[in-house]
Amino acid sequence: MSKQIDTAETFNPTRRSLMKATGAAVAAMSMLPAAAATPVLAQAAAWDKTFPESDKVDHQTVSFRNRYGITLAGDLYLPKDRGSEPLAALVVSGPFGAVKEQSSGLYAQTMAERGFATLAFDPSYTGESGGEPRNIASPDINTEDFSAAVDFIGLRPEIDRERIGVIGICGFGGMALNAVAGDKRVKAVVASTMYDMTRVMSKGYNDSVTPEQRAQTLEKLSRQRWADAENGSPAYQPPYNELKGGEAQFLVDYHDYYMTPRGYHKRAVNSGNAWSQTTPLSFMNMPILTYIAEISPRPVLFIHGEKAHSRYFSETAFAAAAEPKELMIIPGASHVDLYDRMDIIPFDRIAAFFGQHLA
């Protein structure tokens, strides 16, 4: 049975108009949250997360390879009081342009406190994971990253491989849904404050990019390939989430997370670093949620903030998904509130959802 929990008022279309992309899709991407080139697997011995370490959880750094041979870096969290029976497991990633020391690690540690084995990982080309050049994203490779994480955690002796779920946050909510549609080993999926990155890069916010603007963007990106080829390395976009004044509220919200002690991490693309200029190319013709209905009969839980500029992504995906599905709207919450606000993120509902469907 589908279920929509919405105690908030209807999303105000006038608020959406504030975020419409006025240029081509690459301009839309440059407004999204964005890691400086970092040594692969430069694991720090000290706790370097943006959230406090839990005394209820055992933590260790791990690494594993995806199907393309890229080594991914992760943090494995296990409940201290776990007994001897195999555990249900969750793999977690996101937001788009973030690292495992930020929101995904917080979700993973919190769910480990609730009795799950969890793995938060850095996607390919970012954070401490491998891949060259740095700060590149790919709808194909980043979808594969989720399945590689399932490979890894399903082989752990502490895990029941028939009880694995996925949590995707922000832009990796869309990647998670795409991964689960094709990876039938996953039994349930949560998409929190979801973005469909292929949609926003190809069509702009609220699908506002015209065919002429799209053509101009592709022309610009195509020409940039010549420059990158001549230079032997990619050019990068301007630093992400630096404010100059007059930005829309959602950009201020991103800055308040990624550029302040609340959520800043030096390896995060979004924390004053940037994606390559040609990163949008692989997203422009790749609608990753085409097969979302094929997640069924496995359940999907969408969670989004009432006041999030991105709310329409979850509403559209919810409509396209097949049963069983649920859309939970959090009253008064913005997009970024679901990154780290412990009093707002519905962890009890997430735990109940996975507790039921990974039983």
Side-chain angles (χ1 to χ4, degrees), residues 14-347:
T14 62
R15 183 167 60 246
R16 291 184 178 181
S17 66
L18 295 176
M19 283 86 67
K20 281 190 175 181
T22 57
V26 69
M29 183 184 172
S30 69
M31 293 193 296
L32 296 177
T38 18
V40 175
L41 298 181
Q43 300 282 10
W47 185 262
D48 63 345
K49 321 301 182 194
T50 61
F51 50 90
E53 186 172 9
S54 172
D55 61 5
K56 301 176 183 177
V57 172
D58 290 325
H59 161 263
Q60 66 182 98
T61 57
V62 297
S63 63
F64 53 96
R65 286 184 176 245
N66 69 13
R67 193 165 54 88
Y68 297 108
I70 299 171
T71 299
L72 304 181
D75 285 309
L76 181 67
Y77 298 89
L78 299 172
K80 284 186 182 294
D81 184 18
R82 54 184 178 270
S84 58
E85 294 298 315
L87 300 171
L90 306 172
V91 299
V92 191
S93 196
F96 189 79
V99 289
K100 64 190 181 303
E101 290 78 14
Q102 296 171 314
S103 183
S104 62
L106 175 65
Y107 272 69
Q109 180 176 262
T110 304
M111 294 305 294
E113 290 179 330
R114 285 160 166 75
F116 298 88
T118 61
L119 173 65
F121 65 89
D122 286 335
S124 295
Y125 305 103
T126 64
E128 293 181 315
S129 287
E132 294 289 342
R134 303 304 295 164
N135 299 352
I136 304 291
S138 160
D140 179 20
I141 296 173
N142 293 150
T143 294
E144 158 61 22
D145 290 342
F146 273 107
S147 289
V150 172
D151 294 342
F152 171 80
I153 204 165
L155 296 179
R156 298 280 304 190
E158 307 94 339
I159 307 307
D160 179 350
R161 69 167 67 178
E162 299 304 320
R163 299 165 62 207
I164 298 177
V166 164
I167 300 175
I169 306 162
C170 183
F172 274 79
M175 304 287 190
L177 296 169
N178 191 39
V180 175
D183 193 334
K184 303 303 182 183
R185 300 172 299 174
V186 179
K187 299 302 189 289
V189 57
V190 168
S192 180
T193 196
M194 189 203 83
Y195 255 78
D196 177 350
M197 297 308 303
T198 55
R199 181 178 178 184
V200 75
M201 287 197 209
S202 62
K203 298 181 179 181
Y205 281 113
N206 300 292
D207 304 335
S208 60
V209 166
T210 66
E212 292 75 19
Q213 290 171 327
R214 174 181 165 85
Q216 290 169 5
T217 295
L218 288 170
E219 176 70 26
K220 181 178 179 180
L221 293 174
S222 299
R223 293 292 170 178
Q224 184 61 47
R225 291 188 66 121
W226 282 127
D228 289 353
E230 289 171 345
N231 292 330
S233 61
Y236 287 84
Q237 298 176 24
Y240 276 23
N241 296 313
E242 293 184 353
L243 298 182
K244 295 180 172 59
E247 288 85 359
Q249 182 59 47
F250 77 105
L251 296 176
V252 176
D253 292 344
Y254 282 145
H255 175 274
D256 288 349
Y257 179 77
Y258 287 111
M259 300 298 286
T260 72
R262 171 186 170 192
Y264 175 84
H265 199 283
K266 63 183 180 181
R267 287 192 293 270
V269 179
N270 299 342
S271 291
N273 299 299
W275 296 107
S276 73
Q277 290 188 21
T278 57
T279 285
L281 276 171
S282 60
F283 290 79
M284 296 291 282
N285 296 342
M286 187 74 68
I288 57 174
L289 298 187
T290 300
Y291 298 102
I292 189 173
E294 295 184 6
I295 294 174
S296 178
R298 297 161 297 157
V300 186
L301 171 60
F302 298 90
I303 302 168
H304 228 103
E306 172 202 1
K307 296 183 178 179
H309 70 282
S310 53
R311 176 174 165 176
Y312 72 100
F313 290 119
S314 282
E315 292 173 331
T316 303
F318 174 74
E323 302 288 354
K325 58 183 178 178
E326 178 180 342
L327 173 60
M328 185 176 190
I329 301 297
I330 308 301
S334 71
H335 178 86
V336 173
D337 285 337
L338 293 176
Y339 285 4
D340 69 332
R341 297 300 192 198
M342 295 296 291
D343 58 334
I344 291 178
I345 302 169
F347 281 118

